[in-house]
Amino acid sequence: MPMGFFRKNPIGRLVTRITHDVEALNQLYSQVIVNLVKEVLILIGIIILMLFMSVKLTLICFLVIPVIAIVTFYFKTVLRKTQRNIRTILSKLLSYLAENLSGMSVIQLFAREGKQLDRFNELNEEHYRAGMRQTVINSIFNPSIGFFGNISLALLVWYGGSSVVDETITFGTVYAFTHYIRKFFEPLRGLADRFNQIQAALASAERIFETLATKPTIFKSCLP
C-alpha cells in the first residue's frame, strides 16, 4: 500500500484488524452461526409442539418473551458499544507499543523511558477496565435468561396447577410443558452465551469496513 494509507492507519490499528477483528469474524462463521441455526431450529420445533398440545399454556409460558426481547435489545446496544470501545483502546495500545519499539533509540536518547512507560500503563489500565466492564455486563445478561426461564416455569405451575384442579387441562400436559419449558430456555441460554461473540464480530466487521473505506483500492489488491 502507498505511504498515505499508513499515515491514516497506524500499524497498531492494522495489526488489530488482521489479528483480533478477523479472528472474531472467523469464530462467528465457524462456530456461532452453525450453533445458532441448530438452536433456532430446536426452538421452532418446541414452539410447534407446545402450540399443538395447548395454546393457552403456551401463551402463559411465553408471557416473559417480550421482556426478554427488551432486555436483549438493551444489552445488545451496551455490548456493541463496549466492544467498540475495547477495539479502539486495543488499537491505541498496539499503535503506541509499535511506535515505542520502533523508536526506542529516540526514546532513550531523550531519556523518556519513564514517561513512555507511564503512558503505556495508562492505556493498559484503560484496556483492563474496558474488559472488566464487558465481563460485568455478560455476568448480568447471561443469568437473566435463566431467571426469566424460572419465572415462565412458575407461571406454568401456577396456571397449569389451577387448570388441573378445574379439570380443564390434564396433569400429563402440564408435566410435558415443564419439560418443554426447560428445553426451550436451554437454547436461549446458549444464545446468550454466544451473544458476546456475535456483538464482538459485528463490532469487528464495522471497524474492518471502516479501515477499508479509507482506501477502497485495497479490494483490488486482494484480487488475483
Side-chain angles (χ1 to χ4, degrees), residues 5-220:
F5 176 80
F6 295 100
R7 282 195 295 268
K8 295 179 181 178
N9 299 279
I11 297 300
R13 181 189 300 174
L14 296 177
V15 171
T16 306
R17 300 294 180 273
I18 294 172
T19 56
H20 296 82
D21 293 340
V22 173
E23 180 62 23
L25 288 175
N26 177 46
Q27 290 180 359
L28 175 66
Y29 287 107
S30 61
Q31 301 177 12
V32 177
I33 290 183
V34 176
N35 292 318
L36 183 66
V37 172
K38 179 190 71 175
E39 287 162 355
V40 168
L41 291 176
I42 292 174
L43 289 175
I44 293 174
I46 291 174
I47 292 173
I48 292 174
L49 286 174
M50 292 173 69
L51 288 173
F52 177 77
M53 295 181 65
S54 175
V55 176
K56 287 185 179 180
L57 280 182
T58 303
L59 295 178
I60 292 294
C61 294
F62 289 167
L63 284 176
V64 298
I65 295 299
V67 182
I68 293 176
I70 294 172
V71 171
T72 302
F73 179 79
Y74 171 76
F75 277 100
K76 182 201 73 163
T77 305
V78 175
L79 271 175
R80 182 78 64 85
K81 188 181 297 183
T82 303
Q83 288 292 344
R84 289 171 182 164
N85 187 36
I86 290 176
R87 292 296 187 271
T88 301
I89 296 172
L90 184 60
S91 297
K92 291 180 181 179
L93 183 62
L94 292 179
S95 298
Y96 187 81
L97 181 62
E99 291 171 0
N100 280 269
L101 290 176
S102 61
M104 185 59 66
S105 58
V106 178
I107 294 173
Q108 292 175 343
L109 181 65
F110 288 93
R112 289 185 55 89
E113 294 94 332
K115 292 183 178 180
Q116 298 300 105
L117 179 60
D118 291 339
R119 176 57 181 162
F120 176 81
N121 289 333
E122 290 177 4
L123 290 173
N124 200 28
E125 179 69 17
E126 190 177 358
H127 182 256
Y128 165 76
R129 292 186 180 280
M132 286 301 298
R133 174 176 170 79
Q134 172 192 335
T135 302
V136 170
I137 292 172
N138 283 330
S139 65
I140 295 174
F141 174 66
N142 292 355
S144 66
I145 302 299
F147 173 72
F148 288 120
N150 292 332
I151 292 178
S152 179
L153 185 61
L155 290 173
L156 171 65
V157 173
W158 168 71
Y159 181 81
S162 60
S163 299
V164 170
V165 173
D166 297 336
E167 297 183 352
T168 56
I169 296 177
T170 63
F171 175 78
T173 302
V174 176
Y175 178 78
F177 262 77
T178 60
H179 178 73
Y180 285 134
I181 282 295
R182 294 191 183 96
K183 290 295 183 181
F184 180 82
F185 279 91
E186 282 180 7
L188 287 182
R189 284 193 289 268
L191 292 174
D193 291 336
R194 298 180 183 87
F195 195 69
N196 183 50
Q197 286 182 286
I198 295 172
Q199 296 305 315
L202 293 177
S204 298
E206 290 177 356
R207 300 190 65 82
I208 288 174
F209 284 111
E210 177 185 337
T211 302
L212 295 178
T214 62
K215 191 69 177 179
T217 55
I218 193 173
F219 288 108
K220 296 181 181 179

